[in-house]
Amino acid sequence: MPALICGSLAFDTITNFPGRFAQQILPDQVHILNVSFLVPTLRREFGGCAGNIAYNLHLLGGAPVVMAALGTDGAEYLARLQSWGADTTLVRQVQEIYTAQAMIITDQDNNQITAFHPGAMQHAHETRVPVDRSDLNIGIIAPDGRDAMLSHAQQMHDAGIPFIFDPGQGLPMFNPDELRHFVALARWIAVNDYEARMLCDRLGTDLADLSRAPGIEGVVVTRGAEGSEVWMAGHLTQCPPVVATAIADPTGCGDAFRAALLYGLERGWTLQRCAAIGNRLGACKIACHGPQNHRPSSAELLQ
């Protein structure tokens, strides 16, 4: 069955800094911060959370339905989505504005600094979640325009589509009451370890209690090279990491993991099994530059 993916479509400009940010940024001087990073390598990639999740869901053999916005420069991206067999009927094309752009600097420890121009993403809320698609029985609210995330979460809930709440780097846009509302509407929550701390701080709770919230069936926390955690009804299960064959680029690893959640949950698999596949897919992704260039087989991932 298809999975509805609400999130951003963007072009990523990815650069690598052959040093450590910590050696360039003086903590006691951040009030007069003025730094420049020499980045010898630069690549332009297809990205955005919705596009990355859709790509990885396609690799697994799933059926992504992408709900996002592209700008005047988005024709190539639209054709790319369609080449995977993705359903793009809910992709809005906005004229006289660029597709969202992310400028990413990665240091030698895989820490990242990102500047993001939302572009057409600011119009994503103008597309509504369809109420006549009985084939959609799972979805995800991934980072997108603020209005889009708020409205699409409510619309998905009203349409009876259970969804994963994935606030990602958009989490700081929302106040505690808005975050509580997302939690009240969602069926699952997916965050990385940093986002988990921020979300819990803003809600005045911890992961155990968050996983006990009414309607929440599980909270999944990705921890990079340490694997992932699954919290269900206050109980923690550790999902061990998968050792990558190489460490090339972390961009898009979290999106790869979320695609595995969508694929498995739609099939009724346990969160632990979904997380194990997510760890495997993330390890494949990090060994390859760019968020949509790894090409493992579904048999390899689902073994």
Side-chain angles (χ1 to χ4, degrees):
M1 299 286 280
L4 181 60
I5 303 170
C6 297
S8 60
L9 294 174
F11 293 112
D12 292 343
T13 299
I14 302 172
T15 64
N16 290 91
F17 171 55
R20 292 183 170 91
F21 295 143
Q23 296 172 334
Q24 305 292 321
I25 300 174
L26 303 176
D28 60 343
Q29 299 294 311
V30 293
H31 62 293
I32 53 169
L33 185 65
N34 186 1
V35 295
S36 176
F37 301 105
L38 177 65
V39 289
T41 63
L42 182 150
R43 305 183 317 280
R44 190 168 188 258
E45 305 279 1
F46 295 97
C49 294
N52 296 344
I53 294 170
Y55 176 76
N56 285 279
L57 187 58
H58 154 73
L59 290 178
L60 289 166
V65 178
V66 180
M67 186 167 171
L70 288 169
T72 55
D73 55 346
E76 185 181 7
Y77 206 150
L78 186 65
R80 178 178 175 83
L81 293 170
Q82 292 169 344
S83 73
W84 310 332
D87 183 333
T88 60
T89 56
L90 297 175
V91 174
R92 175 177 293 272
Q93 293 186 273
V94 185
Q95 300 303 311
E96 299 181 0
I97 192 169
Y98 287 117
T99 299
Q101 314 273 329
M103 284 68 75
I104 303 166
I105 306 175
T106 304
D107 76 359
Q108 68 182 48
D109 293 328
N110 285 321
N111 298 308
Q112 292 184 315
I113 295 174
T114 301
F116 190 76
H117 169 65
M121 192 180 77
Q122 297 171 99
H123 294 266
H125 64 281
E126 296 171 10
T127 304
R128 295 184 60 84
V129 171
V131 296
D132 58 349
R133 290 286 301 266
S134 60
D135 58 329
L136 297 173
N137 64 355
I138 195 167
I140 186 168
I141 298 294
D144 202 350
R146 171 184 160 81
D147 291 343
M149 292 180 71
L150 288 167
S151 60
H152 292 162
Q154 185 66 60
Q155 292 164 16
M156 208 178 292
H157 178 267
D158 292 346
I161 303 171
F163 68 87
I164 301 166
F165 175 46
D166 168 27
Q169 293 178 332
L171 197 156
M173 295 190 297
F174 303 104
N175 64 42
D177 286 340
E178 290 166 333
L179 292 172
R180 290 188 188 94
H181 189 58
F182 279 120
V183 171
L185 298 175
R187 186 77 58 87
W188 306 275
I189 299 170
V191 285
N192 65 27
D193 48 356
Y194 183 85
E195 295 155 2
R197 290 193 296 272
M198 180 182 292
L199 180 60
C200 288
D201 285 348
R202 294 206 169 191
L203 296 181
T205 189
D206 58 24
L207 289 168
D209 282 344
L210 185 61
S211 70
R212 296 188 187 101
I216 293 295
E217 294 187 2
V219 178
V220 184
V221 182
T222 56
R223 300 180 60 82
E226 297 178 21
S228 54
E229 300 175 348
V230 172
W231 290 85
M232 298 179 66
H235 300 288
L236 168 63
T237 301
Q238 300 280 359
C239 298
V242 174
V243 178
T245 57
I247 306 296
D249 178 9
T251 308
C253 287
D255 296 327
F257 186 95
R258 282 142 181 78
L261 294 183
L262 282 174
Y263 184 84
L265 289 171
E266 194 275 323
R267 285 156 179 78
W269 296 352
T270 66
L271 264 181
Q272 290 86 348
R273 183 180 180 187
C274 297
I277 296 169
N279 290 345
R280 195 174 301 138
L281 186 50
C284 291
K285 207 267 32 107
I286 203 169
C288 187
H289 287 289
Q292 297 178 22
N293 295 321
H294 52 296
R295 294 180 176 84
S297 68
S298 59
E300 176 185 352
L301 295 168
L302 300 174
Q303 61 185 355

